[in-house]
């Protein structure tokens, strides 16, 4: 059976505290979701603001394959607003728990049914697809829900969605509720779960097992409070564990996740399932050894299947084999004795709690091998200025393979300007900055900072570090260390 994916990254996801997207950003995400293969895009809530309506309208008129939906309360004004944005369908939200009916709406069950049916009629009169959603459905009387579905069927609803609005469900109860509802429903059932107990994915899957055929999800699990069921988890579990199909092109999951992370400015936790930085990263020697023999030993999900690449990192749990593979990756060949010496030093640094970057690994290998490396780039002079009413500007004088190069650049701040100037001076080296990260080691404004960068060159990611009390110099050091490694071993 095919399960429909209803993505609400642009509505519930945007309700994540601190997230606000411009109309253009919404359109970019909508296009990526459409390309990913989601069936329905909930583009927003039209009544919210002028900018929100602009975004929804842009998406609705983009000619995407997906059905474009918007959130509406059971109010004609909300539906009018939605129609002014040219959407295909309405996610019509009716609170159905007695708690919500009494305290939020100040009405009765009968009063709610009447208002709901009126809103459905209004939508249908205007030719809209209606997905009736029982808000706080998980805390509603299932007999009342069945009655509501029964009446709504008569008014021509197209889907019915049960929402676990406050994230209080457990899989067993979800299964029980959907087994009841499926008997009444003449239309596809959807499920909308929140992750307050970390059960959003489990509850969504339980609903599907009991008959739901539409899953409401968000990319990276964004959403109100603890977030919604995440698209990547639900889709991969449906595919790998339950053998349900979706229209999702799973290899595009990584890039969509990164786009949403960037535009929503909510960093994905490193240990997040499927899309976290560590999801396909291995440090432990035993695991790396197993993976090198047969990847399935420690990878139940193929990294490529979701658009990621496997990564090995160095630390105190590292094994001899991973050190060897990572050296080979840098085209450094060592004999067994040298390998043992490099391995010992990596372990020693790991034990001290130090992160061992690719640049560190190379330096260790070279010292073990007795090789004195000439750095391709040396920074001779660097000036970076910033201030009030001044465009941050930097100029550098470097020696690139002995040749003097002078360049300058502006930026959003002195670090950015300095990095841009270095980049201008090293244009011929093929790489891009994939990540920049600063840690402050001590507390004051004179703190020592540790800058970690990841540079991407020809499909390889290399890590490098710079340390010091001047953030501009530490950043440039990390950056230049990384470029030097790329010049020696990759480009
Ligand atoms: Mn929600």
């Amino acid at each position: 059976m095919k399960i429909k994916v209803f993505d609400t990254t642009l509505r519930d996801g945007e309700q994540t505290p601190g997230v606000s997207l411009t109309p253009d950003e919404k359109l970019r995400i909508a296009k990526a979701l459409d390309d990913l293969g989601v069936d329905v895009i909930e583009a927003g809530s039209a009544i919210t603001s002028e900018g929100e309506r602009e975004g929804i309208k842009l998406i609705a008129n983009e000619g995407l394959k997906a059905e474009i939906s918007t959130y509406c309360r059971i109010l004609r004004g909300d539906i009018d607003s939605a129609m002014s944005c040219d959407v295909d369908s309405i996610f019509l939200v009716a609170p159905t728990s007695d708690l919500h009916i009494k305290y939020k709406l100040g009405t009765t069950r009968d009063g709610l049914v009447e208002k709901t049916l009126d809103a459905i009629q209004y939508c249908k009169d205007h030719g809209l697809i209606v997905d009736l959603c029982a808000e706080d459905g998980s805390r509603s009387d299932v007999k009342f829900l069945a009655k509501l579905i029964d009446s709504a069927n008569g008014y021509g609803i197209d889907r019915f969605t049960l929402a676990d609005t406050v994230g209080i469900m457990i899989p067993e109860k979800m299964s029980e509720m959907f087994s009841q509802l499926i008997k009444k429903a003449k239309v596809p059932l959807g499920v909308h779960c929140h992750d307050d107990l970390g059960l959003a994915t489990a509850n969504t899957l339980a609903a599907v097992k009991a008959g739901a055929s539409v899953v409401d999800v968000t990319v990276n699990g964004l959403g109100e409070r603890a977030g919604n069921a995440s698209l990547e988890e639900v889709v991969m579990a449906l595919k790998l564990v339950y053998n349900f199909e979706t229209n999702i092109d799973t290899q595009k999951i990584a890039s969509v996740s990164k786009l949403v992370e960037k535009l929503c400015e909510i960093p994905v936790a490193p240990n997040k399932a499927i899309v976290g930085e560590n999801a396909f990263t291995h440090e432990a020697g035993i695991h790396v050894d197993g993976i090198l023999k047969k990847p399935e030993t420690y990878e139940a999900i193929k990294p490529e299947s979701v658009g990621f690449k496997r990564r090995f990192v160095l630390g105190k749990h590292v094994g001899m084999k991973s050190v060897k593979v990572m050296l080979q990756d840098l085209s450094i060949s060592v004999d067994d004795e040298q390998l043992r010496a490099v391995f010992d030093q990596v372990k020693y640094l790991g034990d001290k709690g130090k992160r061992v970057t690719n640049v560190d690994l190379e330096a260790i290998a070279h010292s073990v091998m007795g090789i004195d490396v000439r750095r391709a780039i040396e920074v001779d002079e660097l000036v970076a200025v910033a201030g009030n009413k001044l465009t941050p500007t930097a100029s550098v004088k470097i020696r690139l393979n002995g040749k003097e190069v002078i360049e300058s650049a502006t930026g959003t701040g002195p670090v950015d300007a300095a990095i841009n100037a270095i980049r201008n001076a090293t244009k011929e080296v093929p790489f891009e900055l994939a990540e920049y990260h600063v840690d402050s080691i001590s507390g004051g404004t004179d703190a020592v900072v540790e800058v970690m960068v990841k540079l991407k060159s020809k499909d390889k990611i290399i890590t490098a570090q710079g340390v010091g009390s001047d953030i501009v110099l530490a950043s440039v050091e990390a950056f230049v260390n990384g470029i030097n490694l790329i010049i020696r071993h990759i480009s």
Side-chain angles (χ1 to χ4, degrees), residues 427-469:
K427 275 199 191 93
E428 62 245 52
V429 188
F431 75 94
E432 55 185 279
L433 178 66
E435 201 182 306
Y436 171 89
H437 182 90
V438 189
D439 274 329
S440 161
I441 296 171
S442 45
T445 51
D446 60 346
V448 170
V449 295
E450 229 178 54
V451 176
M452 174 78 95
V453 295
K454 283 187 193 159
L455 307 180
K456 193 173 170 211
S457 180
K458 295 189 178 163
D459 247 36
K460 281 189 181 156
I461 300 266
I462 69 113
T463 49
Q465 193 168 234
V467 182
S469 54

Side-chain angles (χ1 to χ4, degrees), residues 11-12 192 194 228:
R11 199 274 299 170
D12 220 325
H192 177 107
H194 279 269
N228 288 54

Side-chain angles (χ1 to χ4, degrees), residues 35-38 235 246-254 256 305-306:
D35 189 45
L36 179 67
V38 311
V235 166
T246 64
N247 286 324
I248 299 296
D249 179 356
T250 61
Q251 293 185 13
K252 292 180 176 160
I253 285 177
V256 176
S305 72
V306 284

Side-chain angles (χ1 to χ4, degrees), residues 8 11-12 15 163-165 192-194 224 228:
T8 180
R11 199 274 299 170
D12 220 325
Q15 284 170 231
D164 181 23
T165 305
H192 177 107
C193 295
H194 279 269
E224 291 259 21
N228 288 54

Side-chain angles (χ1 to χ4, degrees), residues 322-342:
S322 13
V323 174
K324 194 171 173 184
V325 169
M326 291 182 74
L327 285 170
Q328 277 165 358
D329 242 22
L330 297 174
S331 322
I332 298 174
S333 43
V334 288
D335 61 29
D336 287 352
E337 202 182 315
Q338 290 165 334
L339 177 63
R340 162 61 67 180
V342 173

Side-chain angles (χ1 to χ4, degrees), residues 168-182:
I168 197 67
M169 274 301 241
I170 53 170
E172 292 84 346
K173 215 174 143 209
M174 201 57 137
S175 177
E176 210 179 286
M177 268 189 123
F178 271 84
S179 307
Q180 297 287 320
L181 297 177
I182 197 90

